Amino acid sequence: MLDRTDPEPAFMAPFVSSVMRLEPQWIDYNGHLNVAYYNVLFDRAVDEVYELIGLGPTYLKQHGHSTMVVETHVRYLRELKPSDAVRVSVQLLGYDAKRFHLFEKLLHATENWVSATCESMTLHVDMARKKVAPFPDSVMRALERMKTAHAVLPLPDGAGRQVAMPGKR
């Protein structure tokens, strides 16, 4: 996890996670990363972002609120092998008082090619009531700083895609 000693963290455009290694038990019988563990890697990167915007485990303990992903779309573009190290870039596409929209790219850590992308919608939830709730002002300010930093980035390739059979020609 990142150290949140700065009350007003700077946001990279895009945010880039720590380097992560694939774990041996994640490799399937085809000799590459099983699809389930792409989501684990994306989730670990988002946990780093949460620390920056003030939504980590301490926030849940102090406020009784957390987040829940309600929609996600993963594209698997290039296989990962057991020896590959990865990073995840995270771009904030949008947010409102109760949710945010992220686009992530799983990148080979040294060669920088894209292995997969993940687009998600996440809600802020009052855990006692299990109801969607507004973010506190501190999180809204952090999301605004992140969105301002990310405003210089183009819309990522693949954002807004849907799963569908190709049309007939």
Side-chain angles (χ1 to χ4, degrees):
M1 282 299 155
L2 298 173
D3 179 18
R4 274 198 84 231
T5 56
D6 183 353
E8 300 262 337
F11 290 97
M12 296 180 285
F15 172 85
V16 179
S17 75
S18 303
V19 173
M20 295 177 273
R21 292 254 172 225
L22 309 186
E23 297 183 20
Q25 66 272 22
W26 297 355
I27 306 304
D28 65 20
Y29 55 82
N30 293 317
H32 60 247
L33 185 64
N34 179 274
V35 296
Y37 296 102
Y38 285 79
N39 287 310
V40 169
L41 293 164
F42 286 128
D43 192 53
R44 287 182 177 176
V46 168
D47 283 346
E48 292 183 22
V49 172
Y50 280 11
E51 288 297 318
L52 287 174
I53 61 177
L55 289 173
T58 302
Y59 175 77
L60 171 60
K61 287 178 191 172
Q62 291 177 345
H63 301 281
H65 289 69
S66 191
T67 61
M68 293 185 182
V69 174
V70 293
E71 185 173 349
T72 188
H73 181 185
V74 178
R75 294 184 310 145
Y76 305 96
L77 305 173
R78 187 168 170 182
E79 73 178 333
L80 289 170
K81 304 234 167 114
S83 62
D84 291 331
V86 297
R87 290 182 177 268
V88 176
S89 70
V90 181
Q91 182 176 346
L92 178 64
L93 297 182
Y95 72 96
D96 63 21
K98 298 178 182 180
R99 64 186 161 203
F100 53 84
H101 180 192
L102 298 177
F103 193 90
E104 299 172 82
K105 294 179 187 175
L106 183 61
L107 307 165
H108 189 277
T110 57
E111 298 174 16
N112 214 38
W113 45 262
V114 178
S115 173
T117 66
C118 178
E119 185 172 4
S120 61
M121 184 66 65
T122 301
L123 301 179
H124 183 247
V125 177
D126 178 329
M127 297 302 285
R129 295 177 51 224
K130 296 294 185 191
K131 299 244 183 221
V132 177
F135 291 113
D137 290 342
S138 61
V139 173
M140 288 297 288
R141 285 191 303 273
L143 287 169
E144 177 60 30
R145 287 191 310 276
M146 187 175 186
K147 183 64 178 140
T148 298
H150 291 191
V152 301
L153 300 170
L155 188 65
D157 180 43
R161 289 192 49 173
Q162 65 183 25
V163 176
M165 294 296 292
K168 291 185 179 182
R169 294 178 191 201

